[in-house]
Amino acid sequence: MSSVAQKSGFGATLWDWLTTVDHKKIGILYLLGGLFFFVLGGIEAMIIRLQLITPNNDLVSAGLFNDLITMHGTTMIFLAAMPMLFGFMNAIMPLQIGARDVAFPFINSLGFWMFAFGGLFLNISWLFGEVPDAGWTSYASLSLHSPGHGIDFYAIGLQIAGGGTLMAGINFLVTIINMRAPGMTYMRMPLFTWTTFVASAMILFAFPPLTIGLFFLTFDRMFGGNFFDHTMGGNTIIWEHIFWIFGHPEVYILILPAFGIFSEVFSVFARKRLFGYTAMVFATVLIGFLGFMVWAHHMFTVGLGPTANAIFAVATMAIAVPTGVKIFNWLLTIWGGSIKVTTPMLYALGFIPSFVMGGVTGVMQGAAPLDYQLHDSYFIVAHFHYVIVGGVVLAIFAGLHYWWPKMFGTMLNELLGKITFVFFFVGFHLTFLIQHWLGFWGMPRRVWTFMDGQGWNLANFVSTIGALSMAIGFTVMVINIIMTTIKNERVGNDPWGDGRTLEWAIPSPPPFYNFPATPLVRGLDTLWIEKMEGSKEMITPAEPITDIHMPHGSIIPMLMTLGLFIAGFGAMFHQETSWGLGVLIFGLAFTFVTMAIRSLKDDLGYYVTKEQILQDQENIKRGRN
Amino acid sequence: MSEVQMIKRSPAEQSLSQRRAKESMRSQVAMFSLMIFLTLVSFSMVFAHLNDVPGFSKFFIIPTLFLFAAVQVGLQLYYFMHMNEKGHGIPQMFMFTGAMLGFLLPLTFVTIVWW
Ligand code: HEM
Ligand SMILES: [Cu+2]
């Protein structure tokens, strides 16, 4: 950032954001994109809960209700939770390891645009009035049976977004393996970087199965395939296996970065080194491996037979062990710490009991015989919301408050942050705790309405009130964000005052080349070590300041994705229209042309000169005094 | 573009790198001969089986061929693609994880999907 804010026109700013390959800006794009879809998914959730507030309600029709639950789940997992976590990974992880950017800035931007266009594609289904309606799991017999283009939107939209996710994952892996600053050994990496690493490795292995499954589904629905059609020799169960071979790792891809965020927050605000760092790393890796061995626990009732069920039940329960290790390490990190209850810390403290409850219900469901009772009941809904909202969403909110100053250079209001927490946290438990009992009392999940006199009325009413409270909390947060942005009070390097990791050693937001000179890392909690030694500059440079080589921005990633987006519509309409095939070919050709341009035209990048860096340094110093 | 940087080697470094190169060449050639030998043996075994030479039954040849194939894959990866050299720990971990999943997932499919 040539920190003198140059006044530039709206067009230039827009162009800058469309073409950016800077990891910090892409991080912000991911975060805002994720927030947008979080709002959409949230509105869908509110309508679902309002429909279920009383028995025999007819706020929405049964068909629309199916659309709503499907889009709610799909949006929340693929378009809200993952992108927001990617936002933090992009913005923060390179800073934590002392890198100037991710390994492949161009691919990073491509990953973002694929997410954005994939999400757009999915949601355009609302305009067509033909919306995915077979649940976020889209089980094959049902999804093949679904009329209209709804499921086509699901298959193609997720294919595009999923490709972006895979690219982002590979990019993070290469970045962490190759671009750590001198001295940043694996066992000195902050936990958020570690969890990013393991989650990315899981993406690498889990997303190809999803890609294949979605292609099968696409062929079955749009190109006359019969992979899942048993009347033609296909097998409908394969979809379930493929989906869950992806799906279970996916839930850990979501929760591991959340664990990483909380690990940072705990040690910063307890002002203690993370307890059991080695055990934490080991547990993260172990969870990553075990996460691939348990997918069939989603299919206990399919009829795999007692042997298979027993094996998968035992494997499932094994995951609870490393998870437990983590919980105890967090507790022991807080233990005896000098605790500062800031907003992020509040979320972290709320996370522990909430997530433990979700873990316990998970182990209950992991017991195959019991799962025959629980499966497809509201108990399942309660379980996964306890882990996903009580784990992932709380972590996203914690990360949002914790890293907001680093990403935007302003500090979210603490009082409003705490108000958000209270409304959201109380609302969350109000909504989902009672759903465990709704499950016990026999209410099935994914039902449009229910009849009077089954003893479910009060519980459903309470649940809806809780959802309203969550919505109020979220609204307060949005107000907080808007107010903070308008006030625009700039903050320094380490606004929390207790930062331990490298990102807090540089300005907020950092200059676009991050580090004037690559830092030398001398141990875990790099910045903390410097602070303890009374270092003034807070960074020990590993090299003299020299010219820095940076990549140019590029519009090509967006155009490349646009081609796929167009091809998607072609694939969808080629059966009933004459122009479909042409559009499909045009879209793909367009993408290939952009790929060719990218390959043939080298981007040689440019240099930030030493003089400019020194000048920036000087400006920053002068600004500080 | 001043991307390329020239660093002079000291005589000691030069001779060390020459020795390294020589050693790696020697092992490459040795392994290449071994692989050709294994291939020859494999073909001869099948040829012997086709000509009803006693002792070369199907049940002996097929497992042996698989064993040889595994050895060859290992040699290919470790010697020709240099996985035995330093700095390949991470790629190895990812490859083995992938291979393990690539083995386990189909295994479960044949045992519990199409049982
Ligand atoms: C101790 C760890 C966990 C165990 C033992 C566990 C176990 C289970 C089991 C057995 C099911 C299937 C229940 C059924 O459909 O009958 C399930 C469902 C689910 N779990 Fe977990 N789980 C754990 C952690 C998590 C985490 C960390 C997440 C997400 C962050 C998660 C998300 C989900 C979701 C989304 C479903 C529902 C999928 C669907 O049918 O739509 N779980 N869990
Ligand atoms: Cu699972």
Side-chain angles (χ1 to χ4, degrees), chain A residues 250-565:
Chain A
E250 166 68 14
V251 303
Y252 280 95
I253 293 167
L254 290 174
I255 200 67
L256 285 180
F259 286 175
I261 293 173
F262 285 130
S263 301
E264 306 279 315
V265 168
F266 276 128
S267 74
V268 165
F269 295 110
R271 288 180 262 193
K272 263 179 74 190
R273 195 192 140 118
L274 187 69
F275 186 90
Y277 172 84
T278 321
M280 284 298 239
V281 170
F282 186 69
T284 307
V285 176
L286 194 65
I287 290 177
F289 273 106
L290 287 178
F292 281 93
M293 306 297 161
V294 297
W295 77 88
H297 66 212
H298 295 272
M299 302 169 60
F300 283 146
T301 55
V302 163
L304 303 173
T307 316
N309 275 4
I311 292 172
F312 279 101
V314 172
T316 299
M317 292 182 193
I319 294 199
V321 177
T323 313
V325 168
K326 283 182 160 286
I327 300 281
F328 284 113
N329 278 331
W330 286 318
L331 291 176
L332 290 169
T333 305
I334 323 175
W335 187 287
S338 122
I339 301 172
K340 220 162 52 176
V341 185
T342 57
T343 309
M345 187 63 167
L346 208 52
Y347 279 107
L349 293 172
F351 151 79
I352 291 191
S354 314
F355 186 79
V356 166
M357 287 165 76
V360 168
T361 52
V363 175
M364 288 169 72
Q365 292 160 195
L370 181 55
D371 190 55
Y372 269 77
Q373 293 298 315
L374 305 176
H375 184 65
D376 264 345
S377 74
Y378 252 80
F379 190 88
I380 304 298
V381 179
H383 157 72
F384 66 73
H385 282 96
Y386 260 82
V387 278
I388 291 181
V389 181
V392 183
V393 176
L394 290 187
I396 288 172
F397 287 3
L400 200 73
H401 288 86
Y402 178 56
W403 279 314
W404 188 270
K406 190 46 65 185
M407 293 175 76
F408 296 93
T410 53
M411 193 90 165
L412 289 176
N413 182 299
E414 278 287 286
L415 179 66
L416 287 182
K418 285 174 184 162
I419 294 175
T420 303
F421 172 80
V422 171
F423 274 106
F424 195 84
F425 191 75
V426 172
F428 156 63
H429 283 281
L430 211 55
T431 310
F432 296 113
L433 188 65
I434 196 85
Q435 293 187 354
H436 293 104
W437 280 274
L438 271 177
F440 289 144
W441 298 333
M443 177 159 166
R445 70 188 277 207
R446 293 173 174 168
V447 285
W448 160 59
T449 187
F450 54 93
M451 294 215 265
D452 204 359
Q454 300 182 91
W456 300 344
N457 299 11
L458 181 64
N460 272 302
F461 181 76
V462 170
S463 194
T464 302
I465 297 305
L468 283 172
S469 171
M470 278 196 277
I472 294 172
F474 184 76
T475 312
V476 174
M477 195 170 88
V478 173
I479 293 172
N480 192 355
I481 290 176
I482 294 172
M483 275 176 48
T484 308
T485 311
I486 291 177
K487 267 200 209 142
N488 198 20
E489 287 167 16
R490 313 307 293 180
V491 295
N493 292 3
D494 184 12
W496 296 107
D498 294 305
R500 311 173 73 84
T501 41
L502 267 177
E503 76 264 31
W504 303 111
I506 50 178
S508 318
F512 64 93
Y513 45 81
N514 296 353
F515 298 93
T518 303
L520 179 71
V521 176
R522 293 185 292 158
L524 182 63
D525 291 342
T526 316
L527 179 58
W528 193 253
I529 295 177
E530 303 280 344
K531 283 181 179 172
M532 290 298 102
E533 291 179 354
S535 144
K536 266 188 90 183
E537 286 303 318
M538 293 303 178
I539 282 192
T540 312
E543 54 170 27
I545 293 183
T546 53
D547 295 356
I548 300 173
H549 187 209
M550 300 293 288
H552 283 300
S554 169
I555 192 71
I556 293 181
M558 195 195 140
L559 296 181
M560 236 181 230
T561 319
L562 188 64
L564 294 177
F565 182 78

Side-chain angles (χ1 to χ4, degrees), chain A residues 177 186 205 235 241 295 308 607, chain B residues 3 90 94 98 105 108 113-114:
Chain A
I177 293 173
Y186 282 107
F205 290 116
N235 186 333
H241 280 287
W295 77 88
Y607 281 88
Chain B
E3 276 302 280
I90 299 281
F94 277 94
L105 299 185
T108 46
V113 184
W114 301 292

Side-chain angles (χ1 to χ4, degrees), chain B residues 43-107:
Chain B
F43 273 102
S44 324
M45 283 196 309
V46 176
F47 190 71
H49 172 70
L50 291 178
N51 286 298
D52 296 321
V53 179
F56 287 89
S57 79
K58 230 169 48 182
F59 302 102
F60 166 67
I61 291 180
I62 292 178
T64 320
L65 282 181
F66 271 110
L67 182 70
F68 284 7
V71 172
Q72 294 233 23
V73 168
L75 290 179
Q76 173 75 28
L77 288 176
Y78 278 84
Y79 286 91
F80 289 99
M81 301 180 79
H82 301 282
M83 248 167 64
N84 58 343
E85 285 165 24
K86 264 225 264 326
H88 288 67
I90 299 281
Q92 280 192 40
M93 191 191 75
F94 277 94
M95 282 178 62
F96 286 127
T97 311
M100 190 181 71
L101 291 177
F103 174 74
L104 279 179
L105 299 185
L107 179 73

Side-chain angles (χ1 to χ4, degrees), chain A residues 20-36:
Chain A
T20 186
V21 292
D22 179 347
H23 72 97
K24 297 177 288 300
K25 285 189 174 166
I26 293 179
I28 290 174
L29 287 175
Y30 264 120
L31 190 71
L32 296 183
L35 267 177
F36 170 74

